[in-house]
Amino acid sequence: MFEGLKETLDRFKDDVEEQAESVDAETEADTDVDTVEEKRDQDQKREDPAPPDRDPSEDPETVEEDDREVSVGFGKRAKAFATGGVIIQPEHLDEPLETLELSLLSSDVEMGVAEEILAGIRENLEGTVRAQVQSTDMVLESALKEALFDVISVGQFDFDQHVAETDKPLVMVFTGVNGVGKTTTIAKLARYFERHGYSAVLANGDTYRAGANEQLREHADALDKKFIAHEQGGDPTAVLYDAVEYARANDVDIVLGDTAGRLHTSNDLMAQLEKIDRVVDPDMTLFVDEAVAGQDAVQRASEFNDAAEIDGAILTKADADPQGGAAISIAHVTGKPILFLGVGQEYDDLERFDPEQITDRLLEGDVEDR
Ligand SMILES: Nc1nc2c(ncn2[C@@H]2O[C@H](COP(=O)(O)OP(=O)(O)O)[C@@H](O)[C@H]2O)c(=O)[nH]1
Ligand SMILES: [Mg+2]
């Protein structure tokens, strides 16, 4: 999964290294040079080593300080040279960042998110290079990692701890358009919660679609969970209300409430979600969408969040998504975290979304194997 994004990031690292090398070669005659030999030559030729804000003729100590500064700079460069690194200058980044932006956009990363990542990389790189010398690859790696982590980790909280600390029954309602994997995700979460020692009841608030009851009932049977439903065309709020009552009476920890997947622009749906909010007052409303929908998923996440505030998102079909743009963008755009990734059609194909692990995977991990 996300191979496209991983390739994009790999290419960026190569581009910067290449730029740093070729710009060095071009600037041989410049005063600002980057290799040990050039530095030595330049030091001998240099007539005025003082930075513009100082006047060495007025203060002899300053001259000494300046000499020391130059030699520290020289040490850094020598070390960079010895470790096979090249000092990265701001101008090394211009072209690679431009290429990176285009690649991010074509990997379905949302525009504002791409810009944030670029600004983060530039800031991290310019800061880091001045502070210490590492190999170019390490410098780039950590700059990318930090910039990505910053946009991916927006809004993250400890989901398991939140579940543990919330009064039971904890009510979760799932929204999102039709076909993205809401019902499947509810079944997967029932399994997830069982693993964590919680009981769950599955409630079908999708009273709109024919066959919705049967689909969720089959999952409930397979997972040995209580299933609550009304007839097709009934009031979804009433179904969820019944499920909460059942959970209270039977000490069930978690209510997982499905809803109909109609267009987020539909007033009906929004009125429905509002009524659910008012009557059932869910602890969490989770937005479900498919990673493969890319920019569309990002757009819908934002619209759903505007219409009926969500607490987090679940991104399904990540196993089939070569791009990764939605996974990178949704949290930043909505301000709400991605909590889980769906990675297949089996009940166990659900992973906690761990921003650190995702960034590691994108930058180091062998994503093809995941
Ligand atoms: N590959 C893959 N398929 C999934 C995943 N989650 C759901 N699906 C499939 O997506 C289709 C629609 O799922 P469903 O739960 O009915 O969507 P809903 O209409 O939102 O309730 C089904 O065929 C699921 O098996 C996932 O994480 N990976
Ligand atoms: Mg469904």
Side-chain angles (χ1 to χ4, degrees):
M1 87 177 88
F2 310 156
E3 298 84 3
L5 206 49
K6 184 178 158 51
E7 275 167 28
T8 291
L9 298 169
D10 270 354
R11 204 177 323 127
F12 172 72
K13 287 196 281 177
D14 290 346
D15 282 357
V16 176
E17 283 181 57
E18 230 171 69
Q19 274 289 316
E21 281 157 18
S22 72
V23 174
D24 281 348
E26 281 167 25
T27 51
E28 256 175 39
D30 263 26
T31 46
D32 186 21
V33 289
D34 289 335
T35 67
V36 176
E37 289 81 357
E38 284 161 2
K39 186 71 205 163
R40 214 171 274 142
D41 286 344
Q42 188 208 338
D43 282 348
Q44 283 161 4
K45 281 185 229 147
R46 188 186 285 265
E47 277 167 16
D48 178 15
D53 57 335
R54 288 183 183 178
D55 184 351
S57 64
E58 278 170 30
D59 181 358
E61 273 180 28
T62 313
V63 177
E64 267 179 49
E65 264 179 33
D66 283 338
D67 282 340
R68 191 162 46 78
E69 271 176 30
V70 168
S71 75
V72 169
F74 172 69
K76 262 192 191 181
R77 285 160 195 273
K79 195 171 163 200
F81 190 71
T83 54
V86 180
I87 304 264
I88 301 165
Q89 308 285 4
E91 65 269 21
H92 296 156
L93 298 175
D94 296 343
E95 269 182 51
L97 281 177
E98 228 170 82
T99 313
L100 177 65
E101 180 167 27
L102 291 176
S103 304
L104 287 174
L105 295 178
S106 67
S107 288
D108 269 342
V109 174
E110 195 266 345
M111 173 87 82
V113 176
E115 277 165 10
E116 184 87 12
I117 292 173
L118 298 197
I121 292 173
R122 196 180 273 284
E123 192 184 322
N124 295 338
L125 274 177
E126 292 180 1
T128 318
V129 175
R130 254 181 259 120
Q132 68 187 120
V133 171
Q134 300 163 295
S135 81
T136 317
D137 191 55
M138 278 166 68
V139 169
L140 282 167
E141 184 105 1
S142 62
L144 269 173
K145 194 165 172 171
E146 208 179 302
L148 276 173
F149 183 82
D150 283 351
V151 297
I152 297 177
S153 62
V154 172
Q156 280 291 333
F157 60 87
D158 188 331
F159 178 81
D160 293 330
Q161 192 183 337
H162 177 78
V163 170
E165 287 171 354
T166 304
D167 289 344
K168 308 296 181 299
L170 184 154
V171 182
M172 298 173 90
V173 169
F174 297 80
T175 65
V177 298
N178 204 15
V180 293
K182 284 186 302 299
T183 304
T184 311
T185 299
I186 286 170
K188 289 174 177 178
L189 274 170
R191 167 66 63 85
Y192 177 89
F193 284 129
E194 185 176 288
R195 285 249 175 79
H196 287 73
Y198 300 110
S199 51
V201 51
L202 277 51
N204 183 37
D206 180 359
T207 56
Y208 185 74
R209 194 171 63 81
N213 275 351
E214 286 64 32
Q215 191 190 356
L216 193 58
R217 184 193 304 278
E218 272 173 29
H219 286 308
D221 287 350
L223 291 159
D224 199 20
K225 302 293 166 210
K226 175 72 178 176
F227 172 66
I228 307 269
H230 289 184
E231 280 180 11
Q232 193 188 343
D235 180 356
T237 307
V239 180
L240 299 184
Y241 185 84
D242 279 1
V244 176
E245 289 294 290
Y246 176 87
R248 285 213 178 99
N250 296 278
D251 275 337
V252 175
D253 299 314
I254 292 167
V255 176
L256 298 169
D258 210 345
T259 63
R262 271 180 292 161
L263 270 183
H264 44 287
T265 44
S266 147
N267 290 334
D268 266 8
L269 177 70
M270 287 311 149
Q272 205 178 86
L273 289 174
E274 264 165 36
K275 188 170 176 191
I276 291 172
D277 262 355
R278 199 159 16 95
V279 177
V280 182
D281 190 21
D283 297 288
M284 295 181 102
T285 301
L286 298 182
F287 169 76
V288 182
D289 214 313
E290 47 186 22
V292 286
Q295 296 266 16
D296 289 344
V298 179
Q299 180 73 17
R300 287 193 290 254
S302 164
E303 287 172 9
F304 265 87
N305 188 45
D306 287 347
E309 200 175 345
I310 61 169
D311 297 295
I314 297 178
L315 212 49
T316 63
K317 309 184 194 179
D319 52 306
D321 177 26
Q323 307 287 24
I328 301 299
S329 308
I330 281 183
H332 188 264
V333 167
T334 59
K336 307 296 162 55
I338 297 179
L339 296 171
F340 288 92
L341 285 181
V343 293
Q345 310 211 34
E346 306 297 322
Y347 292 136
D348 289 327
D349 292 334
L350 185 74
E351 292 181 2
R352 282 279 287 116
F353 183 87
D354 177 345
E356 184 131 9
Q357 201 190 346
I358 297 280
T359 31
D360 280 351
R361 249 192 230 178
L362 285 171
L363 293 172
E364 298 150 11
D366 192 358
V367 287
E368 285 83 26
D369 291 347
R370 306 291 304 223

